[in-house]
């Protein structure tokens, strides 16, 4: 299973959205492998040639997109690329140009150039097997790739109570309260 923090998935979609032309986009999900599972820590965007129906990542660009592995102890966990319409099947070109042909490699294909901000399983999850790339069905795709929250905020009050029982309900109030506690001093930038 590959675990992807939501903030990283959102960042990947943000980067895909920066490209306004109707071309395929590509990125890699890199991270830490723990046994058969992986945890994504990094989104890597290669210097690819993007076209309406395909993309090309040269050998030099692929090397550049992996130069951080040793330094940070990371490995490539999956590739993500888009198709222009609703279809997310692997073409023969997708099969042959994938980042890896090793068994267990994962390729996620997103529809409509990811303009609808899809989840990984809203497209298609392909896994490399002995006999080639295999499209996973929905239950297997959800077992292979999952998103996890990046931030859980359980704070309940919308105000902060100070140690002297003053409720602060706005940032202006907070600033005024802090200024009362701190001794005044002049800024060096205002001194002549």
């Amino acid at each position: 299973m590959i675990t992807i923090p939501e903030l990283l998935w959102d960042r990947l979609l943000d980067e895909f959205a920066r490209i306004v032309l109707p071309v395929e986009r590509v990125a890699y999900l890199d991270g830490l492998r723990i046994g058969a599972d992986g945890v994504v820590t990094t989104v890597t965007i290669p210097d690819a040639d993007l076209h309406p129906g395909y993309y090309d990542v040269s050998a030099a660009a692929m090397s550049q997109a992996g130069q951080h592995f040793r330094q940070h102890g990371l490995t490539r966990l999956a590739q993500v690329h888009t198709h222009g319409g609703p279809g997310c099947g692997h073409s023969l070109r997708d099969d042959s140009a994938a980042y890896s042909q090793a068994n267990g490699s994962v390729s996620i294909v997103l529809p409509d150039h990811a303009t609808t901000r899809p989840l990984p399983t809203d497209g298609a999850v392909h896994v490399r097997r002995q006999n080639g790339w295999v499209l996973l069905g929905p239950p297997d795709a959800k077992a292979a790739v999952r998103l996890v929250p990046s931030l859980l905020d359980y704070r309940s009050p919308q105000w902060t109570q100070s140690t002297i029982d003053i409720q602060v309900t706005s940032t202006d109030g907070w600033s005024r309260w802090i200024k009362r506690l701190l001794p005044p001093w002049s800024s060096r930038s205002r001194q002549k």
Side-chain angles (χ1 to χ4, degrees):
M1 172 174 284
I2 296 174
T3 300
I4 308 168
E6 285 178 332
L7 282 175
L8 288 177
W9 185 255
D10 287 344
R11 183 62 192 264
L12 176 141
L13 295 176
D14 291 345
E15 290 303 316
F16 280 178
R18 290 179 55 185
I19 302 167
V20 295
L21 297 173
V23 294
E24 289 195 6
R25 292 107 160 111
V26 62
Y28 302 119
L29 301 177
D30 302 334
L32 304 171
R33 185 156 307 278
I34 305 161
D37 297 329
V39 177
V40 175
T41 61
T42 307
V43 174
T44 302
I45 301 176
D47 185 16
D49 291 325
L50 306 176
H51 303 276
Y54 67 98
Y55 64 90
D56 277 322
V57 181
S58 69
M62 184 62 82
S63 177
Q64 179 186 45
Q67 66 187 7
H68 59 283
F69 290 164
R70 256 190 226 132
Q71 179 183 1
H72 300 291
L74 302 178
T75 189
R76 182 128 306 141
L77 301 173
Q79 74 177 25
V80 181
H81 80 273
T82 67
H83 283 178
C88 293
H90 251 212
S91 66
L92 292 175
R93 184 183 195 102
D94 290 341
D95 285 352
S96 63
Y99 75 104
S100 175
Q101 298 298 327
N103 283 344
S105 297
V106 176
S107 174
I108 301 168
V109 183
L110 301 176
D112 304 313
H113 295 310
T115 56
T116 60
R117 299 192 67 83
L119 300 174
T121 54
D122 288 343
V125 178
H126 305 264
V127 176
R128 176 70 174 160
R129 301 284 188 228
Q130 190 79 20
N131 57 343
W133 286 93
V134 175
L135 172 63
L136 299 182
D140 291 333
K142 288 180 180 178
V145 179
R146 70 177 178 149
L147 288 179
V148 295
S150 297
L151 173 67
L152 298 171
D153 186 346
Y154 295 109
R155 295 175 286 189
S156 57
Q158 293 191 2
W159 51 268
T160 304
Q161 187 168 344
S162 74
T163 56
I164 55 174
D165 288 330
I166 296 174
Q167 290 184 355
V168 178
T169 57
S170 71
T171 55
D172 288 339
W174 179 253
S175 297
R176 286 191 304 269
W177 183 76
I178 292 293
K179 286 179 185 174
R180 278 189 240 146
L181 290 178
L182 298 175
W185 63 80
S186 60
S187 169
R188 290 182 192 205
S189 62
R190 293 186 183 181
Q191 293 177 352
K192 293 184 180 180

